[in-house]
Amino acid sequence: MNLQELLTERQAAIAQGWLDRVLQTYPEQTRRFLGAESDPFANPVGQALRKGITGLTDGLVRGARPDELAPVLEEVVKIRAVQGGNTSCAMGFIFLVKPAVRAELEGIVAPADLWAFDEQIDDLALLAFSIYLQCREKLYEIRVGEVQNRVGRLLKKAGMMAPDDDDEPVLPQNHCSGCNPK
């Protein structure tokens, strides 16, 4: 059997091994919930991770190009980006497929035969990193917008901004004789 056939034959086990390794990156209580609760409404994150890992495994086994896997990859990366933490922890999930594959193919395939598959994973990781950076940038834009809205509301409450004018602060009148232009 060649590598492609072996990967196809063991695809479900590889996906489960990868998912188990991804879940290990979460705290114990979170991991138990994400792994055990199968109701997509009660556990949307666990469901999205399960669906994403299964879809990514399918694509990798088929030899899909990274750009073909981008929509599935984006769903998993969005979850990891929103959860915070450092970038290496968030994006490290991609590389966890390598030990999952090796665990299934140990003793059957020479490690050198997996180099092409490893390159495919590395290419996917580069795409994941780009998606991650876009997600984090969007999160920061949202946070800045929220802060600007809060400051605007505070300025309005303090009477320093006209209620109907969002851009112009209201300068205090008659504060002192030297402050008001004539």
Side-chain angles (χ1 to χ4, degrees):
M1 241 183 215
N2 67 25
L3 179 61
Q4 187 68 34
E5 292 170 338
L6 287 168
L7 289 170
T8 301
E9 178 183 288
R10 297 164 194 263
Q11 181 175 332
I14 292 168
Q16 187 59 53
W18 189 7
L19 179 62
D20 291 344
R21 285 169 174 80
V22 170
L23 292 176
Q24 290 295 319
T25 66
Y26 290 93
E28 185 178 342
Q29 193 171 14
T30 304
R31 174 183 19 194
R32 280 192 309 235
F33 177 76
L34 292 175
E37 179 60 57
S38 61
D39 180 5
F41 295 105
N43 185 9
V45 172
Q47 182 67 20
L49 286 173
R50 192 173 289 106
K51 184 178 176 186
I53 295 297
T54 301
L56 289 170
T57 304
D58 178 61
L60 288 168
V61 166
R62 286 186 293 106
R65 294 185 326 269
D67 61 317
E68 295 173 318
L69 296 174
V72 177
L73 181 61
E74 186 172 352
E75 294 305 312
V76 178
V77 170
K78 281 180 182 178
I79 291 168
R80 304 291 284 195
V82 169
Q83 291 172 335
N86 68 40
T87 306
S88 61
C89 289
M91 293 292 78
F93 83 93
I94 291 288
F95 299 106
L96 295 175
V97 69
K98 290 180 181 184
V101 168
R102 281 163 176 73
E104 285 301 315
L105 302 180
E106 188 175 20
I108 301 171
V109 175
D113 293 339
L114 294 172
W115 287 345
F117 188 75
D118 286 349
E119 287 178 7
Q120 188 181 3
I121 294 164
D122 295 344
D123 290 343
L124 190 66
L126 291 173
L127 178 60
F129 187 71
S130 294
I131 293 170
Y132 177 82
L133 289 177
Q134 291 170 359
C135 291
R136 294 299 292 180
E137 184 177 317
K138 183 67 176 169
L139 284 171
Y140 289 127
E141 288 172 5
I142 290 168
R143 288 179 183 150
V144 166
E146 288 174 357
V147 168
Q148 288 173 335
N149 287 338
R150 285 185 201 153
V151 169
R153 285 192 303 269
L154 287 172
L155 287 173
K156 284 178 189 176
K157 251 185 180 176
M160 298 179 74
M161 185 175 279
D164 60 339
D165 189 0
D166 291 334
D167 296 325
E168 295 295 319
V170 176
L171 297 175
Q173 299 296 316
N174 298 324
H175 180 64
C176 69
S177 60
C179 295
N180 292 326
K182 296 187 182 192

